[in-house]
Each structure stands twice: as structure tokens, then as C-alpha cells.
Amino acid sequence: MSAADWSWLPLHEMGRRLRAGELSPVALAEHCLERLERLGSRYNAVVTVTRERALAEARRAEAELRAGRDRGPLHGIPYGAKDLLATGGGIPTTWGFAPLREQRFDADAAVIERLEAAGAVLVAKLAMVELAGGMRYDQPNASFTGPGINPWNRAAWSGGSSSGSASAVAAGLVPFAIGTETHGSITGPTAMCGLTGLRPSFGRVSRRGAMALSWTLDKIGPLCHGADDCGLVLEAIAGPDPGDPATLPGAFRYAPEAQPDRRWKLCVLPGEDDSDQPAVPANFRAALEVLQTAAEIEERALPEHPYHEIVMTILFAEAGSAFGYLAETGEAAQLTAPETRTTPHALASIPAAAYVTALRLRQRLHRELTDWLAPYDAVVTPTLKKVAPPLDTTFSAYFGAHRRLVITGVGNLLGWPCVTVPTGFGERGLPTSLQFVGRPGSEATLLALARHYQQQTDWHTRHPPETQ
Amino acid sequence: MAEAIWPAVWRAWLRVRYGAGLDAETLEAAVRTCEALRAVWQPLLTDRPDNAELPFPNAMHADGEPDAPDGDPK
């Protein structure tokens, strides 16, 4: 195997070679650093290459592995982190926002700490939509690093807000990356770039040291090539943390073989595969045929409720508290996306009563939809109704009536976990995707479903051309 | 609907906040959309608000054990 192929190894295989001495952590880190430095700008994927830190961590991993000290499956494996996760040691954390180019923190975010403890090697801080997209951007150019560019088609967007995390993994610059999601920021980019993504249950992963956009909606999770990779990363980063009072008790242990031997029960939502791009429903139906070998699939509608209104009211109100200050400081004018520059001024107008009402409704819907979901292991839908948009369009013009799926609002509103998997290709050679969404705490089931699908298909092993 | 509602409110807010004056058309759009939101939400709300409707931080990460009887946190 040549070094060029290292980028595409599954994490468990990469780890096996590292422990067997067939691959060196330092050589692997150098491989990723060279690709990040050479190719990162091609995709607007990188904010900071953390060369010095990466080589120090890789040398330590190499010494430990040689001495027989094994920190687990990620020991010696490089990764990139979305640039809203704090890093100490003088490495900037920019939140994708030009005025914060030189922002520095004293300590690492909890997720970075945990990955370091697991022996993973931080090689880059990755580009993102400014302020995680909370200012209502409507086109791809919404970061001081430029629009995220899709490795499958460089005239297309890589998605947001975890733009660089997705394009860096898809282009083989890093074996995996960490992203965040408030309302679609892991699922969207993984779908657009043909990756497997995991949005954990709310509270599964500590957000200490992560930029807050929405305290009651923000989640942190991995972007990878396959479901097994996501499971291994989640195991390393999940668990309670006194520094984030929203974290759930209990660790997450990824044990795919421990899944019960039974048929799953899945729910398909009527209308969620409507699209004016024929490949989206066609690839979804083909995926359902694969899943039918191991699952009973039933069509059932969600109860009719104003999910989108509720989740966006919560998001806007909390984003207003987080970033309303940009109106007072004048920094709002420095947002890259012109259509967002009035948003920090406007968010203050969300009435407090509307916010509290939205929280009350969320609690009511939590009870109702927990019962609705109980008969199923997961809801399965396309992740997006269209493939990635061209770089030179607005989302409102491109997506039109196909902009949002109801399940995206429901899943984020209620903190439900989600796993996305690639299902083939559509217009302009861009990937299509489906998502499994389940009850809080059901990550193991969702990953088992994704793993089953990926054992029958090879979409997650395909790589974009022109990534060498 | 929310993205349609809040920008209508925002336009009215921004005009007042930054001294452009609130014209009847902008005000009407903001009021109309707020009424639309209320019409969608109100049927889901109880007329007798209950303290159990909102989760509080101690419910979000309870470890299953109550505080000590004297009220001191564990």
C-alpha cells in the first residue's frame, strides 16, 4: 500500500497497523500535514495546520506504542477539529469570524482533551461557516476562509456549518474530523460530501470549550468515512463532564458485535423523499431495499406540529443572547455574508414570552413524540432533498420548496441522535445520503443500522477524483 | 413559518430601533405574522400553565438521588 492510500483506511485498520508497527504515527501525521498544507486551500478547508503540536503528539504516540502502552483504537491517528473548539498552546480558535482571527484560549475544549487522552493527534483546525451559521446565511460564502468547496465537484458547496470538517475528510486530508450541529451542521455537510456522520444525543458529548450558539440545541460529533469509525470516535469523546452540566451520565462503549440478533423496525415518513432531483428518491428507495434484508419498514406520518417554528424560535433567541453583542460593538458589519449583517441587531426582537412558549412546546412534544417513536428502532429518510448546491447560488433559490425535512427540526429540537450514510450519486456527480434518526441514547442501534447498510454497499468507500 | 415570521418582526424592530420610522405596511406585516404564529402554537398550549412544563437544570442531569434533607446540595 502506498502512502497515498493511508488517507482512506478505516480507523480500526489504521489502528491495527499502528499497533503492529506497520505504520508509524509520525509518518502518518507527516502524511496528513503535507496534504493539509498542499491541498487544504483547494477546498477552503483549513484555518490552522497545527504542525508543531501534531508532531509532538505523534512522537509521543510512537514512543508509547513502541513501549507497549496502548491508549485505545485512536492511538496515533490524526484528526481535524472544527475551529470553534478551543485549543490552548497559542493555537487560534477563530469561530470562522474575521474579527476573531487572533482569538486564543488558555485550555483545550473537553473534546480535544478526550481525544488527546485517547492518543489521537490534532493536525488541523478546520474551516467553518462564521459563528456556526447562526446569523441566517443564505449562500456558501459565509466565512473569512471563503466558501467550503466540495471535493466531489469543486463548483459545489461542501455544506455548513462544519464545512472544512466535511471537505477535509472527503478529500483525504484527515482520517476523521470533529464537527458540531445546532440544526443540520453535521448531517448536511456529511450528506453533501458523501461521508458518514454522527450527531449524538443532546448531552452525550461535553461542550465545554466549544463556542455556544444555542445552549439547548448544540451537539458535537464525528465526521468519518464509515459507521465503525464514528462509533470509535464517539466512544473516545462521549461521557459526563462537570464542566458541561447538560452532559448525560454514563460512558459510550462501541461494541458493534453486541447488537441483539433480531430484525429492526424502521419508519419511513411520507413525503420526506420528495425532490425535483430524481436520484434522491431513487437512491433512497434502493437503500430501503438493502435495509429490508434486515428490517421491517413501515410508512407512518409524524404528528402535525409546528416543529420548525419552535426550533427556530429557540435557536434565534439563544443566538441573540450569544451574539447580540455584535450589534453593539459594530462587529456585525464584519460578517462575511452580507445578508447576515443585520441579524445580530434583529435577534434582540424575539419576545421572551415566545422563547419560553417554545420551550414549553418542546417539552410537550418530547412526551408525545417519545411515544410516537417507541415502536421503531429508527426513522429513516433522505438526509437532504437535493445534492450540494453550486457555489454561486442562494440556498433559497436552489432548494426552494425542498429546503427542509421535518425530521431535521424534530431531531434537533428533541435532542435525538442521527447517523448519515452515503447512498450513491446524483446531479453533477454529487453524493446522495440517508439518515437514521432514533430516540436519545440509541447511537449504538443507529450505528448498527448504518454498519449493516455499509456491509451490503460500498458507497462509503468511494473517494473523489483529483484528491492526490 | 418561523423564518417568515421573525424577519417580518425584525424589519419592524430595525426600523424603530434605528430611527427609520415604522410605516403601516411593515407594522401590519409584523402583527399579521405574530398572529399567525400564535394561531399555530396556541392550540398546543394549556390554559392552565403547569410548573412541570419546563425542564430545569437539575432535571437535565439528575443522578437519581435527591439533595440532603437539610437542603444542602450533595
Side-chain angles (χ1 to χ4, degrees):
Chain A
M1 169 177 276
S2 72
D5 296 320
W6 292 349
S7 298
W8 316 111
L9 285 171
L11 297 186
H12 65 85
E13 175 59 17
M14 200 175 277
R16 186 197 68 72
R17 292 180 188 216
L18 287 164
R19 278 187 290 283
E22 297 168 19
L23 193 55
S24 142
V26 174
L28 188 56
E30 288 277 18
H31 166 76
C32 290
L33 292 167
E34 186 276 329
R35 288 180 68 77
L36 286 158
E37 286 163 348
R38 181 166 55 87
L39 299 172
S41 60
R42 182 191 286 184
Y43 307 107
N44 288 340
V46 181
V47 182
T48 306
V49 176
T50 56
R51 174 172 277 279
E52 192 177 331
R53 176 175 176 153
L55 290 175
E57 290 180 347
R59 287 188 198 106
R60 187 183 68 179
E62 189 148 312
E64 288 176 343
L65 287 169
R66 275 193 190 148
R69 181 177 178 197
D70 188 347
R71 291 175 181 259
L74 302 183
H75 201 170
I77 295 182
Y79 77 99
K82 185 173 180 176
D83 204 26
L84 56 61
L85 296 165
T87 40
I91 298 169
T93 300
T94 69
W95 301 355
F97 184 39
L100 302 179
R101 281 172 195 261
E102 298 302 322
Q103 176 174 244
R104 284 170 172 78
F105 292 90
D106 293 334
D108 289 346
V111 170
I112 305 284
E113 278 179 7
R114 289 183 181 193
L115 286 167
E116 184 177 16
V121 174
L122 178 68
V123 288
K125 302 293 292 295
L126 298 171
M128 57 179 282
V129 173
E130 53 195 343
L131 307 178
M135 300 298 111
R136 283 187 79 244
Y137 67 117
D138 191 36
Q139 41 81 34
N141 189 20
S143 170
F144 78 85
T145 51
I149 292 175
N150 196 311
W152 289 98
N153 177 339
R154 289 170 59 202
W157 188 40
S158 63
S161 64
S162 305
S163 316
S165 297
S167 50
V169 177
L173 310 185
V174 289
F176 74 93
I178 302 297
T180 66
E181 171 150 338
T182 305
H183 189 257
S185 287
I186 291 174
T187 56
T190 53
M192 291 184 190
C193 290
L195 299 175
T196 303
L198 169 58
R199 178 188 75 215
S201 308
F202 180 80
R204 177 67 93 179
V205 178
S206 170
R207 301 160 309 164
R208 172 169 51 87
M211 184 203 93
L213 173 62
S214 170
W215 287 267
T216 72
L217 294 169
D218 292 346
K219 285 86 58 184
I220 298 176
L223 296 83
C224 303
H225 290 293
D228 281 333
D229 296 356
C230 286
L232 293 176
V233 177
L234 183 62
E235 181 172 316
I237 64 177
D241 176 9
D244 178 355
T247 47
L248 301 166
F252 175 80
R253 174 103 179 88
Y254 185 55
E257 307 297 347
Q259 279 290 307
D261 184 19
R262 63 174 176 83
R263 283 178 70 76
W264 287 293
K265 189 164 181 186
L266 303 178
C267 178
V268 171
L269 304 175
E272 288 280 72
D273 64 344
D274 290 347
S275 175
D276 58 7
Q277 295 182 350
V280 172
N283 293 356
F284 179 63
R285 294 289 157 189
L288 291 183
E289 285 183 24
V290 172
L291 292 168
Q292 273 169 341
T293 60
E296 181 188 335
I297 301 176
E298 180 176 295
E299 187 167 284
R300 185 180 172 203
L302 279 162
E304 289 270 348
H305 287 309
Y307 304 106
H308 185 71
E309 289 77 355
I310 297 168
V311 73
M312 295 311 290
T313 298
I314 292 170
L315 199 166
F316 288 149
E318 295 186 4
S321 176
F323 292 114
Y325 77 91
L326 298 177
E328 291 145 30
T329 62
E331 290 174 300
Q334 295 181 62
L335 285 157
T336 298
E339 71 275 17
T340 66
R341 290 175 192 154
T342 55
T343 303
H345 301 260
L347 289 172
S349 67
I350 304 279
Y355 175 62
V356 174
T357 299
L359 294 178
R360 289 169 64 195
L361 291 171
R362 171 158 66 182
Q363 187 72 343
R364 184 210 142 118
L365 296 184
H366 163 68
R367 288 192 296 268
E368 182 180 343
L369 271 81
T370 297
D371 291 342
W372 179 90
L373 186 61
Y376 307 108
D377 291 296
V379 174
V380 56
T381 76
T383 311
L384 298 170
K385 294 194 175 206
K386 291 184 146 188
V387 299
L391 289 171
D392 59 356
T393 189
T394 63
F395 306 144
S396 41
Y398 176 73
F399 286 104
H402 300 103
R403 182 154 188 184
R404 59 179 87 96
L405 287 94
V406 177
I407 195 66
T408 305
V410 172
N412 280 291
L413 180 68
L414 302 180
W416 291 359
C418 171
V419 174
T420 63
V421 295
T423 56
F425 295 90
E427 284 191 4
R428 292 170 281 125
L430 287 159
T432 58
S433 170
L434 71 72
Q435 59 183 339
F436 300 102
V437 182
R439 68 186 60 79
S442 68
E443 286 93 340
T445 300
L446 304 184
L447 288 166
L449 279 159
R451 186 174 194 262
H452 172 80
Y453 177 73
Q454 293 184 334
Q455 285 171 337
Q456 321 296 317
T457 59
D458 69 353
W459 302 116
H460 64 295
T461 67
R462 309 280 184 98
H463 313 307
E466 299 178 16
T467 48
Q468 296 307 315
Chain B
M1 183 187 284
E3 293 202 34
I5 284 171
W6 293 122
V9 174
W10 294 349
R11 276 191 290 279
W13 166 266
L14 290 170
R15 289 186 70 87
V16 173
R17 173 72 181 76
Y18 294 97
L22 188 54
D23 61 287
E25 189 181 348
T26 305
L27 177 61
E28 169 65 18
V31 170
R32 194 170 56 242
T33 56
C34 282
E35 285 171 350
L37 181 64
R38 185 174 169 77
V40 172
W41 284 13
Q42 200 59 36
L44 296 170
L45 295 169
T46 171
D47 290 337
R48 292 175 177 77
D50 186 316
N51 265 310
E53 287 179 299
L54 270 183
F56 279 81
N58 57 345
M60 291 171 72
H61 77 130
D63 59 7
E65 294 180 42
D67 283 349
D70 62 1
D72 287 340
K74 291 192 279 51

